[in-house]
Amino acid sequence: MPRSGDSLFQLTPKEGEPKHSKVAIMSRSSNGVVQALLTDLYQITMAYAYWKSGKMDDISVFDLYFRRNPFQGEFTIFAGLEECIKLMQSFHFSESDIEYLKTVLPSKTDPKFYDYLASLSANDITLSAVPEGEVVFPKVPLITITGPLAVVQLLETPLLNLVNYASLVATNAARFRMAAGPETTLLEFGLRRAQGPDGGLSASRYCYLGGFDGTSNVLAGKMFGIPVKGTHAHAYVTSYITLEDLKIKTLTSLDGSSEFNFIDLCLKYQKELAGVIGFLPDQVMAGELAAFISYAQAFPEGFLALIDTYDVLKSGLPNFCTVAMALNDLGYQAQGIRLDSGDLSYLSNEVKARFVKVANHYSLPWFEKLTIVASNDINEDTIHSLNQQGHSINCYGIGTHLVTCQKQPALGCVFKLVQINKKARIKLSEDVDKVTIPGMKNVYRLYGADGTALVDLLQDSSEVPPKQGDRVLCRHPIQESKRAYVIPASVRALHEIWWHNGKVMKPLPTLTELREKTKQSLRTIRQDHKRALNPTPYKVSVSSSLYTFIHELWLESAPIGELF
Amino acid sequence: MPRSGDSLFQLTPKEGEPKHSKVAIMSRSSNGVVQALLTDLYQITMAYAYWKSGKMDDISVFDLYFRRNPFQGEFTIFAGLEECIKLMQSFHFSESDIEYLKTVLPSKTDPKFYDYLASLSANDITLSAVPEGEVVFPKVPLITITGPLAVVQLLETPLLNLVNYASLVATNAARFRMAAGPETTLLEFGLRRAQGPDGGLSASRYCYLGGFDGTSNVLAGKMFGIPVKGTHAHAYVTSYITLEDLKIKTLTSLDGSSEFNFIDLCLKYQKELAGVIGFLPDQVMAGELAAFISYAQAFPEGFLALIDTYDVLKSGLPNFCTVAMALNDLGYQAQGIRLDSGDLSYLSNEVKARFVKVANHYSLPWFEKLTIVASNDINEDTIHSLNQQGHSINCYGIGTHLVTCQKQPALGCVFKLVQINKKARIKLSEDVDKVTIPGMKNVYRLYGADGTALVDLLQDSSEVPPKQGDRVLCRHPIQESKRAYVIPASVRALHEIWWHNGKVMKPLPTLTELREKTKQSLRTIRQDHKRALNPTPYKVSVSSSLYTFIHELWLESAPIGELF
């Protein structure tokens, strides 16, 4: 092990080679929960300094929140809470963790500190939070952690890690859902571009929560019960060269009554369809037809073909229709096609037009309702643009832009001390947006008569909750002149206690329930807060009493400067 | 389990609820290697179709490569290979994987397919690749996989997943290193903003490979032997309010000879320093001083303080100097300060100027060499801009922009079939950049007399390798007129065989060796390919014979169109 210990922040040569460990790459313990050691070193050094000065058990309150909504939007979906709660259940340092830390901390570190570390758990922590899947806004504490200062600090990094990406990608998924509309199927195809294996799994899980319908990630299907979807790749098509590559010629009809020479049947339809939808059989790629035939033989009831390997209109689509019509003779209905390149608006409309022609010619109404999947590097703006241009896509497969959140690849959640030993603390900043809202707070969402959320209100935890029908003064936390009276038709306390006294306090919703929760919560948010272009900011306010308190504490905490 | 089986791509209602699994979230098996099921569903459906048509054992060759360098740059660091090789070692489907797949595939799937799946391993796969840590360029196969078609396809998704992010973040790290220069310490602080726990670990590992000096991620330190670094957060400072919060007043001198009232000593220096570096003791925040004192008591040999909680020049820096001078009386040298906000150019220079004053006043030359760490949302452009403005920073802590690769959060590696049953295959596209280079190839890097890389050359594997001193014709793979003669002073075959016949064929380098390899490889690349602004593209060429072959196969594979 390297001994970086005596120079916690030194520039000079490392002592010893970083040993390339052959141990497993495991960010999580065998129960799937993240390890306590998945934290920043400064949490450990701070824990030591707190312990050394006898401050480690000071009862502290930290808020986890973000300062700005992602993607130039005005809302965020809160996700990752279940994983945070599970971290509470399993939080501890193993013997081997302690051994490792002994190599990192200075050699003069008091050995009793390691006994202290080994004794830690999250049993004295109270975690209250907004329910997972709720729409949330800047400055509102998503999670509030109360407990011994040193333990709470150790939890900072893993909590931020678990909430930041989960909420970001769930929000991204919700935005794609709003762009695509409720009727379009949305599939997450991001595994190959995610931040490693676990990044891919998190993406699948939280995109589903945010409103996607399924994923291509099989392991995510197995672990989380998310529907898994997919057909074939270009390589499947190019792996066939001619019809002679087909070793099996036949296919049995759906009712099992007879076996057909499926290739001959396809060739018959190829000729017929040339006239119906307009193509030249000698421009059709034989290898592509062979690939489609073999795929249909494997999945006669689930035939969906990728039609852009060579030329969509001259080869891919003719070959698809050919095989689909042959399948129809045997009692099977094909499912549709996928486009992975080109002008998706134009091509999807052309494809649809030819489907209509086939449907009319053969009196097969289902043929015009075939699925048209698009999957070429699609982002939120692409969908808005396709909507404007007009298209016939009814399913999107979305990878890179969804899981990497290209438009904004990080949500800036922070974790700030707001109270210690019952004294409220404030963190000042030259940037007033970064000033923390001090003290232990309650968060209320005030709704109008139609169930729409009007405003979020933070109060000191000692204040009386706002009541429906009351006239409630809601103030901007910083700007004196910004304030408004609101008469809520209903009021909801957003925070619930999820972990207390070493116990999970409420049943954790299933992933399907969380997905439903997200949908419902989004429905309570006004459309102008949700729209893609220039959305209206939702207001997060503080009570009059909290406003006064913030500003008193601010003056108390700031050094008096020179003349402004 | 959900039965999405009979509708592999259907829009209509899901049968059964996605069961919210309480199983562990584990993208990796207990040995830390990714699971075989971490793949896209279409790999499984294709495997079935291949198996069903008797094509599963067709010997196929796939190239893994990317088409464009990331970050508007002209180079990429190849990383992730070790994890790919380990995947080969462990690749198999478990009984529970098979049970799950039975719920996903159509009910009519031939049950013998599951026996086939259960029997699979990567023992018949050959994996050749560029060494990890090498600088690489578009179109060059980074990894070439040869083996039974169905198995190779199943490997596609995990291989892409393992290479894409690893190479992207290693490249990003290398760019930060070039921006900051070789003497500046670079620390990765990205855990809280990474794509979940494993994303954070991968970031730490591959940033180190790309040239960083350490990480804040303690688990990454334990697992990979990467030096871990860190001090304290703003919360540490705000957790103290007055000097009365200090329960311990004393500190023992380095030589152990005597115990001092450390608080009194600090207060003495506070008065003295006010005149030396210019500050008003009544504008200094007492809580911050208390925090620094307690931190110094815990880490007298490693005292580095975050000085921007209140006001850098009026409070943070005076408090740091106060404590550092008191430590000096006891024989300890402080390490330095960290700035996490504000104008980093101005502040770092102001800090440095005051360090120089202290150094001169007390004749302590080391005081002007104290570490100045900057860590506020820094990206590559920030560093270039700071270099232009002038600054005194000698260490950067970099998080969000490094690990999320904000500038381009995905590297678009692809995995393309280039040969099957000894027949070369080409994938055409309307975008000529997307046309694949067919066949089994060898890759050579041609160097000039000074050891600089001149050009990469792809040849058909049957061709004679280029030799040093020969005049080698290097052609653009697509554009007829672009070609050049090169006389290499030396030639290196870039690919090596890493996995064959179920065995790892070469010792895998340690992470430190990979980091060194990256450094060396970057040194062989001309500066104009590496610069941040408008870099010159490095040329990747094909032999004359491969050029001819590509274009013959192209014509053969493309349908003849209408008049152009």
Side-chain angles (χ1 to χ4, degrees):
Chain A
M1 285 294 165
R3 270 213 64 80
S4 51
D6 294 318
S7 57
L8 282 174
F9 229 106
Q10 205 137 352
L11 301 171
T12 41
K14 279 136 219 127
E15 307 167 29
E17 278 294 271
K19 174 192 153 210
H20 183 238
S21 157
K22 296 291 172 195
V23 301
I25 303 159
M26 303 287 288
S27 49
R28 300 169 185 274
S29 312
S30 54
N31 61 357
V33 180
V34 299
Q35 298 195 35
L37 216 54
L38 191 82
T39 197
D40 291 309
L41 180 65
Y42 77 178
Q43 314 291 11
I44 312 262
T45 54
M46 284 192 280
Y48 179 59
Y50 286 138
W51 178 83
K52 186 87 180 164
S53 63
K55 242 179 115 63
M56 68 284 187
D57 288 330
D58 283 11
I59 294 304
S60 63
V61 183
F62 279 72
D63 285 343
L64 189 155
Y65 62 98
F66 59 89
R67 297 186 185 117
R68 214 171 305 155
N69 290 300
F71 315 122
Q72 289 147 15
E74 291 296 347
F75 74 95
T76 299
I77 307 293
F78 172 49
L81 179 60
E82 177 178 338
E83 293 196 75
C84 294
I85 295 167
K86 288 186 169 167
L87 171 66
M88 299 296 131
Q89 287 181 295
S90 71
F91 178 79
H92 83 287
F93 291 99
S94 71
E95 235 174 86
S96 91
D97 291 345
I98 304 279
E99 285 315 305
Y100 171 68
L101 288 175
K102 286 181 182 169
T103 71
V104 172
L105 292 178
S107 49
K108 288 187 183 165
T109 302
D110 188 332
K112 284 197 228 75
F113 173 64
Y114 298 110
D115 301 335
Y116 163 74
L117 269 189
S119 76
L120 293 181
S121 75
N123 287 350
D124 297 329
I125 297 291
T126 298
L127 183 158
S128 82
V130 173
E132 188 161 1
E134 195 76 65
V135 178
V136 289
F137 302 98
K139 290 193 160 74
V140 171
L142 308 178
I143 300 180
T144 297
I145 300 277
T146 308
L149 180 55
V151 179
V152 178
Q153 283 271 238
L154 288 165
L155 291 167
E156 172 178 14
T157 312
L159 290 175
L160 287 173
N161 177 282
L162 291 171
V163 170
N164 262 328
Y165 179 64
S167 300
L168 183 74
V169 79
T171 307
N172 205 21
R175 296 181 65 90
F176 274 91
R177 166 56 68 204
M178 290 192 308
E183 302 304 326
T184 303
T185 300
L186 290 180
L187 304 177
E188 176 272 311
F189 282 0
L191 178 55
R192 60 189 62 194
R193 302 288 161 81
Q195 277 187 16
D198 198 76
L201 273 186
S202 301
S204 304
R205 176 177 179 154
Y206 294 110
C207 286
Y208 187 66
L209 183 149
F212 268 55
D213 297 299
T215 178
S216 66
N217 182 340
V218 186
L219 192 58
K222 182 183 178 191
M223 284 185 174
F224 309 128
I226 303 170
V228 290
K229 300 287 171 186
T231 55
H232 67 83
H234 292 118
Y236 189 85
V237 175
T238 53
S239 77
Y240 286 85
I241 300 171
T242 72
L243 289 178
E244 279 137 48
D245 290 341
L246 293 167
K247 291 169 199 164
I248 298 168
K249 317 277 178 208
T250 59
L251 183 61
T252 305
S253 60
L254 178 63
D255 60 13
S257 64
S258 48
E259 201 176 60
F260 288 78
N261 183 319
F262 192 60
I263 300 176
D264 286 352
L265 195 57
C266 285
L267 290 174
K268 186 199 106 182
Y269 273 110
Q270 189 181 63
K271 268 190 214 138
E272 247 184 71
L273 283 162
V276 178
I277 56 172
F279 64 88
L280 302 172
D282 66 356
Q283 287 191 1
V284 152
M285 296 302 290
E288 187 181 49
L289 180 59
F292 288 2
I293 288 174
S294 75
Y295 201 76
Q297 287 170 322
F299 298 105
E301 292 174 88
F303 180 59
L304 192 144
L306 176 60
I307 61 170
D308 69 339
T309 305
Y310 301 106
D311 187 304
V312 169
L313 300 179
K314 287 181 192 154
S315 181
L317 185 66
N319 280 331
F320 168 78
C321 291
T322 298
V323 175
M325 285 309 302
L327 281 173
N328 181 62
D329 271 14
L330 276 62
Y332 302 106
Q333 279 186 17
Q335 287 203 3
I337 59 96
R338 176 159 75 98
L339 295 167
D340 192 42
S341 61
D343 180 331
L344 297 175
S345 163
Y346 168 73
L347 287 175
S348 68
N349 284 335
E350 290 294 310
V351 165
K352 175 82 174 186
R354 282 158 179 79
F355 285 170
V356 171
K357 278 186 188 163
V358 175
N360 292 341
H361 185 84
Y362 294 100
S363 300
L364 295 172
W366 57 266
F367 212 100
E368 60 182 282
K369 288 180 194 136
L370 287 170
T371 301
I372 299 175
V373 187
S375 59
N376 179 32
D377 215 22
I378 287 161
N379 62 28
E380 195 189 330
D381 294 339
T382 316
I383 299 180
H384 287 300
S385 159
L386 283 167
N387 291 345
Q388 279 190 327
Q389 295 168 66
H391 66 84
S392 302
I393 297 157
N394 43 27
C395 176
Y396 290 102
I398 304 175
T400 314
H401 295 280
L402 176 64
V403 307
T404 65
C405 302
Q406 199 119 14
K407 222 173 179 177
Q408 180 182 326
L411 178 66
C413 276
V414 294
F415 188 74
K416 295 289 174 191
L417 177 70
V418 294
Q419 183 173 302
I420 188 159
N421 292 334
K422 302 197 174 159
K423 277 189 204 135
R425 304 298 295 139
I426 195 166
K427 156 85 179 72
L428 301 180
S429 171
E430 311 222 334
D431 179 355
V432 290
D433 259 4
K434 288 190 169 182
V435 173
T436 58
I437 301 181
M440 182 75 147
K441 298 173 287 289
N442 286 329
V443 187
Y444 301 95
R445 185 159 291 174
L446 279 49
Y447 296 88
D450 60 354
T452 305
L454 301 173
V455 66
D456 283 6
L457 176 69
L458 311 187
Q459 293 190 339
D460 185 89
S461 59
S462 62
E463 292 183 67
V464 179
K467 278 201 260 353
Q468 61 181 88
D470 277 6
R471 205 171 72 138
V472 182
L473 181 60
C474 297
R475 301 199 63 165
H476 187 285
I478 306 296
Q479 292 175 267
E480 198 176 8
S481 62
K482 290 194 176 174
R483 59 211 199 285
Y485 283 110
V486 175
I487 302 177
S490 66
V491 172
R492 190 161 70 94
L494 278 191
H495 269 237
E496 298 170 21
I497 292 178
W498 295 90
W499 174 261
H500 184 60
N501 275 337
K503 285 199 187 64
V504 179
M505 302 297 285
K506 298 170 60 76
L508 299 177
T510 65
L511 183 56
T512 320
E513 286 163 357
L514 294 176
R515 187 168 180 267
E516 194 45 45
K517 168 83 188 171
T518 304
K519 252 194 222 173
Q520 279 171 10
S521 186
L522 275 166
R523 256 184 241 127
T524 66
I525 305 301
R526 246 170 38 210
Q527 187 52 36
D528 60 317
H529 301 308
K530 293 184 289 189
R531 69 180 171 220
L533 197 66
N534 296 329
T536 317
Y538 179 90
K539 304 295 187 296
V540 173
S541 65
V542 299
S543 66
S544 193
S545 146
L546 182 54
Y547 175 88
T548 307
F549 180 65
I550 294 170
H551 291 258
E552 279 170 11
L553 198 63
W554 191 335
L555 290 180
E556 208 175 280
S557 306
I560 297 174
E562 284 115 47
L563 259 191
F564 34 85
Chain B
M1 285 294 165
R3 270 213 64 82
S4 51
D6 294 318
S7 57
L8 282 174
F9 229 108
Q10 205 137 352
L11 300 170
T12 41
K14 278 136 221 123
E15 305 167 31
E17 277 293 272
K19 173 190 154 214
H20 182 238
S21 155
K22 294 292 174 197
V23 300
I25 303 159
M26 301 286 287
S27 48
R28 300 169 184 273
S29 312
S30 53
N31 60 357
V33 179
V34 299
Q35 297 196 37
L37 216 55
L38 191 81
T39 197
D40 290 310
L41 180 65
Y42 78 179
Q43 314 291 9
I44 312 263
T45 54
M46 283 192 279
Y48 179 60
Y50 286 138
W51 177 83
K52 186 86 180 163
S53 63
K55 242 179 115 62
M56 68 284 188
D57 288 329
D58 284 11
I59 295 304
S60 61
V61 183
F62 280 71
D63 285 342
L64 188 155
Y65 63 98
F66 59 89
R67 297 186 186 116
R68 214 171 305 154
N69 290 298
F71 314 121
Q72 289 146 16
E74 291 297 345
F75 74 94
T76 299
I77 307 292
F78 172 48
L81 179 61
E82 177 178 338
E83 293 197 75
C84 295
I85 295 168
K86 289 186 168 167
L87 171 66
M88 299 295 130
Q89 287 181 294
S90 71
F91 178 79
H92 83 286
F93 291 100
S94 71
E95 233 173 86
S96 93
D97 291 345
I98 304 278
E99 284 315 304
Y100 171 67
L101 288 175
K102 286 181 183 171
T103 71
V104 173
L105 293 178
S107 49
K108 288 187 184 163
T109 302
D110 188 331
K112 284 197 228 74
F113 174 64
Y114 299 110
D115 301 335
Y116 163 74
L117 269 190
S119 76
L120 292 181
S121 76
N123 287 349
D124 297 328
I125 298 290
T126 298
L127 183 158
S128 83
V130 173
E132 189 161 1
E134 195 75 66
V135 178
V136 289
F137 302 99
K139 290 195 161 74
V140 170
L142 308 178
I143 300 180
T144 297
I145 299 278
T146 308
L149 181 55
V151 178
V152 178
Q153 282 269 238
L154 287 165
L155 291 167
E156 172 178 15
T157 312
L159 290 176
L160 287 173
N161 178 283
L162 292 171
V163 170
N164 262 328
Y165 179 63
S167 300
L168 183 75
V169 80
T171 307
N172 206 21
R175 296 180 65 89
F176 275 91
R177 166 55 69 203
M178 290 191 308
E183 301 305 325
T184 303
T185 300
L186 290 180
L187 304 177
E188 175 271 311
F189 282 0
L191 178 55
R192 60 190 62 194
R193 302 287 161 80
Q195 277 187 14
D198 198 75
L201 272 187
S202 301
S204 303
R205 176 178 180 155
Y206 294 109
C207 287
Y208 187 66
L209 183 149
F212 268 55
D213 297 300
T215 177
S216 65
N217 182 341
V218 187
L219 193 57
K222 182 183 178 191
M223 284 184 175
F224 309 129
I226 303 170
V228 289
K229 301 287 172 186
T231 54
H232 67 80
H234 292 118
Y236 190 85
V237 175
T238 53
S239 77
Y240 285 85
I241 301 172
T242 72
L243 289 177
E244 279 136 48
D245 291 341
L246 293 167
K247 291 170 198 161
I248 298 168
K249 317 277 179 208
T250 59
L251 183 61
T252 304
S253 60
L254 177 64
D255 60 13
S257 65
S258 48
E259 200 175 61
F260 288 77
N261 183 318
F262 192 60
I263 301 177
D264 285 352
L265 196 57
C266 285
L267 290 174
K268 184 199 108 182
Y269 273 109
Q270 189 182 62
K271 269 192 211 136
E272 250 185 67
L273 283 162
V276 177
I277 56 174
F279 64 89
L280 302 170
D282 67 354
Q283 287 191 0
V284 152
M285 297 302 288
E288 187 180 52
L289 180 59
F292 289 2
I293 288 174
S294 75
Y295 201 76
Q297 287 170 322
F299 299 104
E301 292 175 87
F303 179 58
L304 192 144
L306 175 60
I307 62 170
D308 69 338
T309 305
Y310 301 105
D311 186 305
V312 169
L313 300 177
K314 287 180 190 154
S315 181
L317 184 66
N319 280 332
F320 168 78
C321 292
T322 297
V323 175
M325 284 309 302
L327 281 173
N328 180 61
D329 272 14
L330 276 61
Y332 301 107
Q333 280 187 15
Q335 287 202 2
I337 59 94
R338 177 159 75 97
L339 295 167
D340 192 42
S341 61
D343 180 331
L344 297 175
S345 163
Y346 168 74
L347 286 175
S348 67
N349 285 336
E350 290 293 311
V351 165
K352 175 81 174 188
R354 282 158 179 78
F355 284 170
V356 171
K357 278 186 187 165
V358 174
N360 292 341
H361 186 84
Y362 294 101
S363 301
L364 295 172
W366 58 266
F367 212 101
E368 59 182 282
K369 288 177 195 141
L370 287 170
T371 301
I372 299 175
V373 187
S375 60
N376 179 31
D377 215 22
I378 287 162
N379 62 28
E380 196 189 331
D381 295 338
T382 316
I383 299 180
H384 288 298
S385 158
L386 283 167
N387 291 344
Q388 279 190 327
Q389 295 168 68
H391 65 85
S392 302
I393 297 158
N394 44 27
C395 176
Y396 290 103
I398 304 175
T400 314
H401 295 280
L402 176 63
V403 307
T404 65
C405 302
Q406 199 119 11
K407 221 173 180 179
Q408 180 182 325
L411 177 65
C413 276
V414 294
F415 189 74
K416 294 290 173 190
L417 177 70
V418 293
Q419 183 173 301
I420 188 159
N421 292 334
K422 301 195 174 160
K423 277 189 204 135
R425 304 299 296 138
I426 195 166
K427 157 86 178 70
L428 301 180
S429 172
E430 312 223 334
D431 179 355
V432 290
D433 260 4
K434 287 191 171 182
V435 173
T436 58
I437 301 182
M440 181 76 146
K441 297 171 288 290
N442 286 330
V443 187
Y444 300 96
R445 184 158 293 172
L446 280 50
Y447 295 88
D450 61 353
T452 305
L454 302 173
V455 66
D456 283 5
L457 177 69
L458 310 188
Q459 293 190 338
D460 185 89
S461 59
S462 62
E463 292 183 67
V464 179
K467 277 200 257 358
Q468 60 180 85
D470 278 5
R471 205 171 72 139
V472 183
L473 182 60
C474 298
R475 300 200 63 165
H476 187 286
I478 307 296
Q479 290 175 264
E480 198 175 10
S481 62
K482 289 195 177 174
R483 59 212 199 285
Y485 283 110
V486 176
I487 302 177
S490 66
V491 172
R492 189 160 72 94
L494 278 190
H495 268 236
E496 298 170 21
I497 292 178
W498 296 89
W499 173 262
H500 184 61
N501 275 338
K503 285 197 188 64
V504 180
M505 302 297 286
K506 300 170 60 75
L508 299 177
T510 65
L511 183 56
T512 320
E513 286 163 357
L514 293 177
R515 186 167 179 269
E516 195 45 46
K517 167 84 187 168
T518 304
K519 251 194 224 173
Q520 279 171 10
S521 186
L522 275 166
R523 258 184 240 126
T524 66
I525 305 301
R526 246 173 34 212
Q527 187 51 36
D528 60 317
H529 301 309
K530 293 184 289 189
R531 71 180 170 220
L533 197 65
N534 297 328
T536 318
Y538 178 89
K539 304 295 187 297
V540 174
S541 65
V542 299
S543 67
S544 194
S545 146
L546 182 53
Y547 176 88
T548 308
F549 180 66
I550 293 170
H551 292 258
E552 279 170 12
L553 197 63
W554 191 335
L555 290 181
E556 205 176 283
S557 306
I560 297 175
E562 283 116 48
L563 259 190
F564 36 83

